[in-house]
């Protein structure tokens, strides 16, 4: 099979790219499930964009940097926040049905760590679904292949030229293109509490690492404060917009949890709120969202309400039990402003990419925006450069080692140990214990192993094992606390770590000083082509 562009994944970044690519290009989308299964589709919270008269891109920029604890790439943040209004107005003009107020204007909501009301929503708390459903109507020219898992990137003469793909029945195909794009999302499923879709098992991150691409900032994992808790599990998200409407975090005795946290209190940055809830839970409390002051809750938050009803949570009590869980990976496959990775022909967009926008902790509702923004940028880049791209001539992929003989870990044990040892609060001791655990299942050997004969289930497990190992290694290396990365043994931010990125690549890990402030459209670092 041959095309011009192969996109792996089908969330908002993937579909925005597909929509924006030239109709002259043959575009193939491989998705391991269906177009309606992705983190984007589940996204309740909206899209951050400075649209109101009192707001501007500069305020959005500052809120993004503050939440990211200044680990962000400032130039990239400046460009994204500046260009966001045009990008969103384009979607509005094309007919994407965002929520409007009684005057017919786009409604703007508030979320954590935003200094202005600037969150647009669709379907109340179904923004991801609203945008994905809309984008799907715009990609009739694209070949979409559902239930197809990409398990290997084909690298020939240091260039990515194709992918190996497995269907549900185990049959395999190889597909080739000039441009291969990873848009597979994050790695939420490596944790026992997560808001991520079941399919989010770190595939793209593992594929890229195995192929030799650079990954960066893998220690920065965001834990959302309010997953709905039922029967000891996180069963879905209670959007931050619920706190934006006035809900408060309280313990079982009614003690208000965020009293001392000025100025934002319940709407403090996510890592702050998650860490506070985690502390209360460790002390044996139960933590609730008190929604008693919100009128018309079911109408305003239909998705949250239906999750509660499905799990027997009585909304009339005015309380929803909550627990923090993995929500977003700020790190990922290292890219430049055009979404190019360090391997020619390979690109990454969306949560799988580390563009530097989110720094150490993502600001609420910046992820759908980032997907739209980099989907758009990459489409421009490919549309402009496609004619000059040389078609791959040699399609021989390199030989891999025999798979390790050891069994893969029990998946629930992998998730619970990651939660406990590489989760919200980390220590050297726990991280070392987790590394030993992961090594005992041959995590480093799986990086180089041949995956040809593995079932889809085994492939998911191998990708999760590799991602767990990468996150744990990076978390051990960063001896400070910053944003989503809390080290109990190094509880403060350390100026010596500011803007230093931990880069992981198959040939070795290194720490890189990366204060990068390129002009718009230029390449981020001299090491890129
Ligand atoms: C939420 O609705 O709380 C999630 C939004 C986001 O992750 O940006």
């Amino acid at each position: 099979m041959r095309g011009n562009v192969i996109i792996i994944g089908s969330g908002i970044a993937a579909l925005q790219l597909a929509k924006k690519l030239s109709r002259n290009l043959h575009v193939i989308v491989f998705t391991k499930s269906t177009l309606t299964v992705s983190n984007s589709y589940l996204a309740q919270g909206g899209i951050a964009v400075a649209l109101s008269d009192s707001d501007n891109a500069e305020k959005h920029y500052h809120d993004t940097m503050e939440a990211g604890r200044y680990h962000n790439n400032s130039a990239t943040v400046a460009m994204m926040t500046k260009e966001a209004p045009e990008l969103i107005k384009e979607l509005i003009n094309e007919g994407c049905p965002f929520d409007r107020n009684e005057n017919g204007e786009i409604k703007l909501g508030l979320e954590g760590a935003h200094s202005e009301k600037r969150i647009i929503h669709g379907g109340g708390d179904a923004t991801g679904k609203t945008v994905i459903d809309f984008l799907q109507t715009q990609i009739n020219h694209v070949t979409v292949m559902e239930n197809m898992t990409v398990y290997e990137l084909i690298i020939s003469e240091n260039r990515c030229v194709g992918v190996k793909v497995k269907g549900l029945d185990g049959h395999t195909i190889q597909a080739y293109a000039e441009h291969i794009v990873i848009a597979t999302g994050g790695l939420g499923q490596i944790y026992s509490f997560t808001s991520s879709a079941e399919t989010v098992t770190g595939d793209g991150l593992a594929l890229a690492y195995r192929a030799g691409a650079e990954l960066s900032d893998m220690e920065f994992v965001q834990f959302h404060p309010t997953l709905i808790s039922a029967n000891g599990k996180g069963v879905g998200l209670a959007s931050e917009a619920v706190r934006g409407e006035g809900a408060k975090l309280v313990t079982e005795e009614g003690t208000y949890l965020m009293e001392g946290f000025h100025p934002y209190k319940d709407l403090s940055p996510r890592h702050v709120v998650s860490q506070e809830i985690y502390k209360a839970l460790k002390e044996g409390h139960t933590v609730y969202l008190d929604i008693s002051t919100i009128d018309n809750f079911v109408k305003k938050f239909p998705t949250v309400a239906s999750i509660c009803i499905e799990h027997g949570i009585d909304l009339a009590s005015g309380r929803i039990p909550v627990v923090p869980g993995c929500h977003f990976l700020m790190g990922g496959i290292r890219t430049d402003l055009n979404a190019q990775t360090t391997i020619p022909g390979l690109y990454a967009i969306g949560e799988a990419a580390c563009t530097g926008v989110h720094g150490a902790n993502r600001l609420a509702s910046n992820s759908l925006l980032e997907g739209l923004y980099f989907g758009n940028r990459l489409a421009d880049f490919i549309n402009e450069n496609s004619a000059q791209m040389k078609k791959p001539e040699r399609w021989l992929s390199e030989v891999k080692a025999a798979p390790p003989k050891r069994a893969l870990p029990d998946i629930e044990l992998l998730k619970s140990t990651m939660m406990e040892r590489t989760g919200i609060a980390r220590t050297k001791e726990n991280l070392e214990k987790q590394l030993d655990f992961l090594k005992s299942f041959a995590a480093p050997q799986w990086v180089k192993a041949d995956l040809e004969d593995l079932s889809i289930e085994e492939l998911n497990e191998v990708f999760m094992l590799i991602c767990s190992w990468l996150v744990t290694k990076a978390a051990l290396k960063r001896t400070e606390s910053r944003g989503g990365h809390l080290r109990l043994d190094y509880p403060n931010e350390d100026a010596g770590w500011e803007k230093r990125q931990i880069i992981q690549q198959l040939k070795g890990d290194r720490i890189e000083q990366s204060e990068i402030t390129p002009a718009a459209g230029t390449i981020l670092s001299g090491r890129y082509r």
Side-chain angles (χ1 to χ4, degrees), residues 44-45 111 224 237 239-241 270 327 362-367:
Q44 297 175 11
E111 280 181 1
H224 194 290
L237 196 68
S239 172
E240 201 149 281
R270 285 192 182 153
H327 186 56
R362 174 173 66 76
L363 182 68
S365 287
N366 265 353
S367 61

Side-chain angles (χ1 to χ4, degrees), residues 102-144:
E102 49 289 351
N103 301 325
E105 297 150 349
I106 296 290
K107 249 198 223 167
L108 297 173
L110 190 63
E111 280 181 1
H114 285 273
S115 56
E116 290 282 344
K117 283 192 167 185
R118 68 165 73 94
I119 316 300
I120 62 169
H121 286 93
D125 57 3
T127 312
K129 176 179 182 313
T130 303
V131 180
I132 295 281
D133 285 348
F134 174 75
L135 289 175
Q136 275 191 55
T137 65
Q138 312 282 305
I139 57 161
N140 295 333
H141 58 293
V142 168
T143 305
V144 177

Side-chain angles (χ1 to χ4, degrees), residues 196-448:
S196 289
E198 268 171 32
T199 47
V200 181
T201 49
D203 302 21
L205 301 154
L207 290 173
Y209 185 72
R210 278 170 50 88
E214 289 183 358
L215 268 53
S216 66
D217 291 355
M218 291 293 284
E219 68 277 30
F220 291 119
V221 176
Q222 181 177 86
F223 290 84
H224 194 290
T226 57
L227 303 197
I228 300 163
S229 171
N231 303 320
K233 293 205 170 92
V235 293
L237 196 68
S239 172
E240 201 149 281
V242 175
R243 278 171 285 137
E245 281 287 310
K248 300 228 168 319
L249 288 160
V250 296
T251 65
E252 69 285 356
E253 301 138 345
T255 308
Y256 178 35
L257 212 62
M258 301 305 292
E259 180 59 51
F261 290 81
H262 300 293
Y264 294 125
K265 297 197 169 179
D266 292 276
L267 289 174
S268 297
R270 285 192 182 153
H271 63 289
V272 175
V273 185
S274 289
Q275 288 162 14
E276 206 48 32
I277 297 177
Y278 178 79
K279 220 162 70 189
L281 295 175
K282 280 273 170 199
E283 285 165 6
H285 295 289
T286 307
V287 177
Y288 296 89
L289 262 179
D290 180 340
I291 56 165
S292 56
T293 56
I294 302 179
D295 295 330
N296 299 321
F297 184 86
V298 177
K299 188 154 173 258
K300 283 183 183 151
F301 299 105
T303 311
V304 177
S306 77
I307 298 170
C308 288
I309 292 162
E310 188 189 329
H311 290 89
I313 296 166
D314 178 16
L315 289 171
S317 72
R319 286 180 165 191
I320 301 173
V322 291
V323 62
C326 175
H327 186 56
F328 193 84
L329 174 70
M330 275 69 74
I333 306 160
R334 195 163 192 239
T335 66
D336 71 9
L337 278 179
N338 294 319
Q340 296 180 100
T341 73
T342 47
I343 298 179
L346 181 67
Y347 310 80
I349 48 176
E351 191 178 345
C354 182
T355 62
V357 158
H358 305 303
N361 189 36
R362 174 173 66 76
L363 182 68
S365 287
N366 265 353
S367 61
L368 294 182
L369 175 62
E370 186 201 27
L372 290 170
Y373 182 68
F374 277 95
N376 191 48
R377 280 198 74 93
L378 179 55
D380 284 349
F381 179 78
I382 291 177
N383 289 340
E384 275 164 30
N385 292 290
S386 215
Q388 295 98 287
M389 289 289 164
K390 107 175 171 358
K391 292 215 174 359
E393 281 151 18
R394 301 239 324 261
W395 293 345
L396 289 176
S397 54
E398 61 189 62
V399 177
K400 299 277 185 191
K405 296 239 180 311
R406 268 166 282 174
L408 287 163
D410 173 82
I411 215 64
E412 292 310 319
L413 185 63
L414 175 75
K415 289 169 178 236
S416 62
T417 53
M418 281 302 290
M419 200 73 214
E420 185 58 30
R421 301 174 188 154
T422 315
I424 296 171
R426 302 159 173 181
T427 61
K428 178 171 188 280
E429 191 188 351
N430 274 339
L431 291 166
E432 283 177 345
K433 205 190 263 180
Q434 188 63 357
L435 270 190
D436 287 344
F437 170 80
L438 297 167
K439 277 186 201 155
S440 76
F441 292 101
Q445 286 80 3
W446 276 111
V447 168
K448 297 177 192 147

